[in-house]
Amino acid sequence: VTPPDSGAPAPTLAVADDDEIHAELVCSWLEHLGFRVLRFSSGDDLLDWAASGEGRFDAVVLDIDMPGRDGYQSCRELRSLPRYARVPAVFVTGAGRDDLSAEIPAGQAVELIRKDDEMLDRLSRWVGRNVRTAA
Amino acid sequence: MEGSSGGEMEALRRRLDRAERSSAQKSRFIRHVSHEFRTPLGSIIGYAALLEREGERLAPEVRAEYLGVVLRNARHLLHVVNDLLNISKVEAGTLEITLAPVRAQELISSVVVALGPQSEERGLRLRVVDGGAPPVRADSGRLRQVLFNLLENAIKYSPPGSDVEVRTVLAPGGVRVEVEDRGPGISAADQGRLFREFSRVTHPGMRVVGAGLGLALSRMLTEAMGGSIGVESEPGRGSTFWLELPAAHPAPSEGEAAPDDEEVRRRRGTVAVVEDDPDLSAYARAVLQRAGYTVVTDDGAAGLGERVAAAAPDVVLLDLHLGERSGRDALAELRAQDATRTVPVLAFTAGEIAPGQDEGFAGTIGKPVEPGELIATVDAALDIARGAPGAVADFLAPLRDRFRTGLTARAGEIRSAIARGDLQALARETHKLRGAAGGYGFPSLAAAAAAAEEAGSDGTRRAAVERLLEEIAGLTGT
């Protein structure tokens, strides 16, 4: 009997954003911080992948306005899957929204981040609080 | 040419013989593996079936007991599978081994902590004798695995109430670790088989769990690190398992230990260690201080929130089992203080973490933890929390250039949407541009895109799109 391997892989974040250029920014930043990043161009793609059970991610970054399922809908459906029931989720939005949709239960590691020049900083702080950083 | 046909025949026969032996070994191996799997799988299936059939009618504590059996057996199988995978990796030469200077003594301390409960259960005393040996050249994860196996075996086979002693001593060209137990001892015949797969030595009346793979794997790992492993024993007189590894620095100069990599990189910042076990607390303090952190410790007694906040830590290591208190309560107490409202808090725990139990924590550190892993986890939590001043700007600069270059194409999309009279495409373009411009740090472009997206009438839209295109032209220099 041996202790389990200690070399756990880096935590994985999923990013769903229909704007390629913005997704590129978010994904490169998260990779820069040392995370593995799975990139999806829509909430629908994200859900398909999550439901297939092929792999898993530890937290999700969702654009709110996406064709097909929007960010909120994607989050709700994602959390209806047992393995993602409590997945930390952060919403990013370009629109001038100030509050999270009331449909998303607060307190479950959710946050709304605006796409502005503080976004990357806020994103770092959010993952720092909500995503296991190692082993 | 020397090779007469008789010689060739002889060589062929020997190869065939070897192949047959090896094939017979494989078959025996598979038989053992199958057997190792069948018993726990039988329990898992049996109890799971029972739970499925009668789950409703069973008392909660009975249900919990059955589930416990299922889990225990499943975990055991996972261990066996991990061992098998490691063995096959060693055999295929694909096991990753990273050799670096490692202090065996530190690994021993962490293994002793991990096996503490097991040895206490049997009333054993684990004695550690530090012979002041220099660092060895080893893979710290693999070496830990080997030490874990040796110590766990010693604990398993020791009579209740006896001593197990772990010593590190200098050996020619390296370091020797010895694990001595007062167990039943092993006959010379058995000693030879001991380090081969599935060759557990059994003693009548002793119930020992394990797949008998541990020592075989330990031998493989030790040899892969350039070391050797063995046992000295006599029936009735206990056993001393030993392993020898080469020293990391061939000739360490007297009194001047070569600084290892961890010491070279100085860190700054304050780590608060909230832990009620004084030994673990001292261990974490020593490791983190050596890495350059300022460390404050707290035993987690009532009022911990205020005390920890007073130290204004950059990161907190929080034991999840502080006496009666849950980690969740302690975390809430920290979050109630201004100075610790948003600092990353790492959960420090020996047990399994239930789903959701780590919510709100920035990470988890399992006990025992090796020094390198402890430091790396704290580093990672801090790097991310700090975002290192200027890090965003440095990171963004090349991406911003690319974004700016790509704007020409975006302007083209906007113009063509207008030319086609495709308002939907226009709205999509302006919406996307607004978000991306904001994220890349072009606020006035984001504002212009927002105005175009939200324009109510054709007239205002036309004007807003015009301004947006001007803004883009200004940024692309066209």
Side-chain angles (χ1 to χ4, degrees), chain A residues 19-72:
Chain A
D19 180 22
E20 225 173 275
I21 298 180
H22 193 264
E24 161 103 33
L25 172 66
V26 170
C27 295
S28 345
W29 178 240
L30 295 172
E31 278 164 7
H32 176 74
L33 294 178
F35 294 99
R36 284 182 58 217
V37 179
L38 298 166
R39 183 165 156 180
F40 301 94
S41 56
S42 69
D44 296 349
D45 287 351
L46 170 78
L47 258 302
D48 283 349
W49 190 85
S52 77
E54 267 174 59
R56 71 166 300 159
F57 46 84
D58 303 291
V60 62
V61 181
L62 293 159
D63 183 24
I64 295 180
D65 299 292
M66 289 185 286
R69 295 181 180 90
D70 69 6
Y72 291 132

Side-chain angles (χ1 to χ4, degrees), chain A residues 1-3 19 21-22 24-25 28-29 32 65 86 94 96 107 115-117 121 124 128-129 131-135, chain B residues 79 83 148-149 152 356 358-359 361-364 373 384 392 395-396 402-403 410 431-432 434-436 438-440:
Chain A
V1 179
T2 55
D19 180 22
I21 298 180
H22 193 264
E24 161 103 33
L25 172 66
S28 345
W29 178 240
H32 176 74
D65 299 292
R86 305 173 78 99
K115 294 180 179 175
D116 58 21
D117 48 3
D121 268 331
S124 314
R129 277 199 308 278
V131 183
R132 310 147 136 264
T133 44
Chain B
H79 279 161
D83 279 356
F148 193 98
N149 274 327
E152 198 187 35
D358 58 347
E359 194 183 309
F361 287 93
T364 310
E373 192 187 325
I384 288 168
V392 173
F395 163 82
L396 258 180
R402 247 196 7 241
F403 175 75
R410 295 221 152 187
H431 176 78
K432 283 179 3 178
R434 167 193 197 166
Y440 280 86

